[in-house]
């Protein structure tokens, strides 16, 4: 065999093992790689909620700073990348009482006619009650902003119709951790298939001996891109399944309890 053939055969052998080794290393590097691609599959309820949140304000909620009047008191909220700040101001004959909640930390201050502030010492029970009150008002005023929070569990219930309009029905429950004091509450939302907005909602609650409520939205307004809407609040017999409430509503068998009005809405980011 000539020396040239020997050299060529040797080169082929070396090239074969080199390719095999590179392939082996490539597989090894692939197996040891820390770069993983995870695919998140959204449930049907989550997809609908995403559309609903977008229809009501979407990303504008992330930096929203608004004030409004509810039942004679002035509320305001400010959302940032670092969390949230809520205020409630109540006027008396001689004082202004300001409740302030920042990322679950609560304080109360009273201001006299000279605008001199004085911090108010509250019991744990009083703090719990005050936090629940301010959270509840702003939660409902900014629906559906927080319906995709980590503590929220959503479930698609059904497709239905109310007064000749078509709706997707979403059930919302909460985890104990991060779900707040009212984590045992259960909500139903009837989302208009044409507008992706909430036309009706219902919930059952356990605090104060419990109860069931059904709300019908009206007087909807859009203030600088964010939707605010008022509700007619109906009282329902305790224990009534939330799923049955639209039928009772259409049959006019629900008793109106109150009106939930969000008035004098101001975008404070524009001031």
């Amino acid at each position: 065999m000539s020396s040239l053939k020997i050299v060529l055969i040797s080169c082929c052998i070396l090239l074969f093992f080199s390719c095999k080794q590179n392939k082996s290393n490539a597989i090894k590097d692939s197996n040891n790689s820390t770069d993983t691609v995870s695919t998140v599959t959204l449930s049907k309820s989550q997809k609908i909620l995403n559309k609903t949140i977008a229809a009501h304000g979407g990303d504008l909620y992330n930096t929203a700073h608004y004030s409004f009047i509810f039942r004679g008191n002035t509320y305001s909220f400010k959302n940032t990348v670092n969390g949230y700040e809520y205020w409630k101001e109540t006027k008396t004959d001689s004082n202004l009482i300001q409740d302030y909640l920042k990322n679950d930390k609560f304080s109360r201050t009273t201001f006299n006619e000279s605008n001199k502030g004085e911090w108010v010492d509250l019991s744990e029970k009083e703090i719990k009650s005050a936090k629940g009150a301010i959270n509840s008002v702003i939660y409902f005023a900014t629906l559906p902003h927080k319906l995709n929070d980590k503590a929220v569990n959503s479930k698609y219930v059904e497709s239905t119709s109310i007064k000749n309009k078509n709706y997707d029905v979403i059930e919302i429950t909460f985890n104990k951790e991060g779900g707040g004091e009212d984590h045992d509450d259960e909500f139903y939302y009837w989302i208009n298939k044409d507008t992706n907005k909430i036309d009706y909602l219902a919930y059952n609650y356990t605090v104060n001996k419990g109860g069931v409520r059904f709300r019908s939205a009206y007087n909807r307004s859009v203030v600088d891109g964010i939707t605010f809407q008022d509700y007619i609040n109906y009282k329902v017999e305790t224990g009534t399944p939330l799923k049955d409430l639209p039928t009772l509503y259409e049959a006019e068998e629900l008793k109106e309890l109150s009106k939930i009005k969000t008035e004098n809405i101001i975008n404070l980011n524009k001031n």
Side-chain angles (χ1 to χ4, degrees), residues 85-98:
E85 294 178 78
Y86 296 163
W87 294 264
K88 174 188 175 184
E89 293 185 350
T90 304
K91 290 184 179 180
T92 65
D93 292 337
S94 57
N95 292 323
L96 172 69
I97 302 173
Q98 183 185 82

Side-chain angles (χ1 to χ4, degrees), residues 39-51 148 154:
T39 302
V40 177
T41 303
L42 296 179
S43 65
K44 185 173 183 178
S45 62
Q46 289 173 318
K47 291 177 181 177
I48 293 171
L49 286 176
N50 285 345
K51 291 181 180 179
N148 262 344
S154 65

Side-chain angles (χ1 to χ4, degrees), residues 182-200:
D182 302 329
H183 62 269
D184 290 331
D185 293 354
E186 176 192 20
F187 284 77
Y188 267 40
Y189 292 91
W190 286 266
I191 298 169
N192 190 305
K193 290 187 178 183
D194 293 327
T195 65
N196 292 319
K197 293 194 174 184
I198 297 170
D199 285 355
Y200 305 95

Side-chain angles (χ1 to χ4, degrees), residues 186 203-206 209-213 235-245 248:
E186 176 192 20
Y203 59 98
N204 58 50
Y205 59 95
T206 57
K209 299 181 180 180
V212 179
R213 296 289 184 267
K235 185 177 181 180
V236 184
E237 184 177 348
T238 301
T240 304
L242 301 184
K243 190 176 180 179
D244 296 345
L245 298 186
L248 299 175

Side-chain angles (χ1 to χ4, degrees), residues 44-268:
K44 185 173 183 178
S45 62
Q46 289 173 318
K47 291 177 181 177
I48 293 171
L49 286 176
N50 285 345
K51 291 181 180 179
T52 303
I53 293 170
H56 280 260
D59 291 340
L60 293 176
Y61 282 117
N62 298 335
T63 55
H65 188 191
Y66 285 77
S67 70
F68 60 89
I69 294 176
F70 176 70
R71 293 179 176 170
N73 299 317
T74 300
Y75 292 80
S76 54
F77 64 92
K78 182 178 183 180
N79 299 325
T80 69
V81 293
N82 296 318
Y84 64 87
E85 294 178 78
Y86 296 163
W87 294 264
K88 174 188 175 184
E89 293 185 350
T90 304
K91 290 184 179 180
T92 65
D93 292 337
S94 57
N95 292 323
L96 172 69
I97 302 173
Q98 183 185 82
D99 288 351
Y100 176 58
L101 182 62
K102 181 176 182 180
N103 298 336
D104 205 41
K105 293 183 178 180
F106 180 85
S107 65
R108 173 173 291 173
T109 307
T110 60
F111 297 88
N112 58 27
E113 293 178 346
S114 302
N115 205 34
K116 182 179 180 181
E118 182 178 344
W119 184 76
V120 180
D121 189 17
L122 299 174
S123 66
E124 287 298 321
K125 183 178 180 179
E126 289 172 324
I127 291 174
K128 180 180 177 180
S129 176
K131 285 170 62 175
I134 191 171
N135 263 322
S136 177
V137 170
I138 294 178
Y139 177 86
F140 281 111
T142 59
L143 279 172
H145 171 46
K146 292 194 172 182
L147 292 188
N148 262 344
D149 280 3
K150 292 181 180 180
V152 174
N153 306 304
S154 65
K155 175 185 176 183
Y156 184 81
V157 178
E158 63 178 356
S159 174
T160 190
S161 63
I162 303 174
K163 294 189 174 183
N164 298 318
K165 293 183 179 181
N166 297 319
Y167 293 90
D168 286 313
V169 188
I170 304 296
E171 178 190 72
I172 294 291
T173 56
F174 304 91
N175 297 328
K176 183 175 182 180
E177 183 176 353
E181 298 295 337
D182 302 329
H183 62 269
D184 290 331
D185 293 354
E186 176 192 20
F187 284 77
Y188 267 40
Y189 292 91
W190 286 266
I191 298 169
N192 190 305
K193 290 187 178 183
D194 293 327
T195 65
N196 292 319
K197 293 194 174 184
I198 297 170
D199 285 355
Y200 305 95
L201 67 91
Y203 59 98
N204 58 50
Y205 59 95
T206 57
V207 298
N208 298 325
K209 299 181 180 180
V212 179
R213 296 289 184 267
F214 180 81
R215 294 186 180 186
S216 171
Y218 77 103
N219 193 31
R220 180 176 288 150
S221 60
V222 180
V223 181
D224 295 324
I226 291 183
T227 297
F228 294 85
Q229 51 194 31
D230 299 331
Y231 296 91
I232 300 175
N233 189 31
Y234 295 91
K235 185 177 181 180
V236 184
E237 184 177 348
T238 301
T240 304
L242 301 184
K243 190 176 180 179
D244 296 345
L245 298 186
T247 301
L248 299 175
Y249 170 72
E250 289 185 299
E252 298 183 352
E253 295 182 14
L254 300 181
K255 180 181 179 181
E256 181 178 329
L257 181 64
S258 61
K259 284 186 170 64
I260 310 298
K261 294 183 178 181
T262 305
E263 302 175 298
N264 194 30
I265 303 164
I266 300 173
N267 182 2
L268 299 176

